[in-house]
Amino acid sequence: AQSVTQLDSHVSVSEGTPVLLRCNYSSSYSPSLFWYVQHPNKGLQLLLKYTSAATLVKGINGFEAEFKKSETSFHLTKPSAHMSDAAEYFCVVSDLWGQNFVFGPGTRLSVLP
Amino acid sequence: DAGVTQSPTHLIKTRGQQVTLRCSPKSGHDTVSWYQQALGQGPQFIFQYYEEEERQRGNFPDRFSGHQFPNYSSELNVNALLLGDSALYLCASSGLGSQETQYFGPGTRLLVL
């Protein structure tokens, strides 16, 4: 069985400051991990994915995430927040075949001017 | 290249009615998955279709059924609607092979009165 924990339901940062969204996972096998972003009234957009290659994954819009097996974590970071980053972020775990997609509960990111 | 499309965008039904939602996958994709996203929560996996058959199913009652057509498009049917079925229904498509990413459509927002 797989599960995802997103440690913060809401994160608030000032524009231009770093962003850290935390994700821990549980999986019976080597997982694939994803971060998706959902802007209000929009569908889910893939930010980045980890699939057993490099542990530091770079995504779109300046986001990156690091897979740490020993900590079962896949935290999402960005050096400098922009107002347009305000959205809901979901961490997702799946098996290596892209099945058993399990979403975390989401973290709402607010960016203050 | 069109992405995943869904119709309708919004729908209002009353308890006990039946509803059909439609999804066209991204070009080149042959696998379609459906998710239910209740307000303020992460998406929950309903089922996945591949080669016109249900390949995998989440923890949803038999009132939720689906179909995949030879052109890979898909329908989600919900019978005997309950108030609790009010949610955003998301369709995602992916291709064959390992480590495949799911690409999401904008969703259909269903309101059951």
Side-chain angles (χ1 to χ4, degrees):
Chain A
Q2 301 174 109
S3 65
V4 176
T5 302
Q6 291 185 244
L7 297 161
D8 305 294
S9 60
H10 183 210
V11 170
S12 185
V13 302
S14 298
E15 191 175 22
T17 64
V19 175
L20 170 64
L21 304 183
R22 298 182 292 169
C23 171
N24 286 91
Y25 71 92
S26 172
S27 179
S28 304
Y29 32 71
S30 295
S32 291
L33 293 157
F34 306 78
W35 277 98
Y36 283 84
V37 61
Q38 188 175 37
H39 288 93
N41 300 313
K42 297 283 182 67
L44 289 156
Q45 181 184 19
L46 178 68
L47 279 178
L48 49 80
K49 68 176 181 180
Y50 165 78
T51 53
S52 75
T55 57
L56 184 61
V57 182
K58 294 190 183 298
I60 62 171
N61 301 334
F63 285 95
E64 63 181 38
E66 185 172 9
F67 173 71
K68 292 187 177 180
K69 186 175 181 179
S70 61
E71 298 176 11
T72 61
S73 69
F74 190 57
H75 301 333
L76 181 71
T77 61
K78 182 173 180 177
S80 176
H82 190 273
M83 295 296 288
S84 61
D85 294 328
E88 190 84 19
Y89 291 79
F90 294 97
C91 182
V92 181
V93 63
S94 81
D95 60 31
L96 279 180
W97 296 270
Q99 297 189 34
N100 297 310
F101 241 57
V102 176
F103 279 77
T107 297
R108 182 163 60 92
L109 176 65
S110 297
V111 182
L112 307 175
Chain B
D1 175 25
V4 179
T5 59
Q6 294 185 243
S7 63
T9 56
H10 294 82
L11 207 49
I12 300 176
K13 293 286 188 179
T14 56
R15 281 178 297 175
Q17 285 190 311
Q18 178 264 343
V19 68
T20 298
L21 310 182
R22 296 176 176 80
C23 172
S24 291
K26 185 177 170 66
S27 178
H29 286 180
D30 56 10
T31 301
V32 173
S33 302
W34 286 92
Y35 294 82
Q36 180 194 67
Q37 185 178 18
L39 202 60
Q41 297 182 24
Q44 300 290 316
F45 174 71
I46 303 175
F47 43 53
Q48 183 180 78
Y49 276 83
Y50 170 67
E51 291 190 342
E52 302 179 49
E53 291 194 359
E54 184 181 291
R55 180 161 70 172
Q56 197 179 10
R57 189 178 184 92
N59 189 26
F60 278 79
D62 292 344
R63 297 187 297 108
F64 290 77
S65 63
H67 188 77
Q68 185 178 35
F69 299 93
N71 67 353
Y72 307 123
S73 66
S74 177
E75 289 181 350
L76 164 66
N77 300 292
V78 186
N79 294 322
L81 283 167
L82 303 174
L83 297 180
D85 295 331
S86 295
L88 179 67
Y89 288 85
L90 295 164
C91 169
S93 73
S94 55
L96 260 186
S98 63
Q99 304 176 356
E100 280 296 327
T101 300
Q102 295 193 13
Y103 292 87
F104 286 80
T108 294
R109 188 162 296 281
L110 172 65
L111 177 62
V112 182
L113 301 177

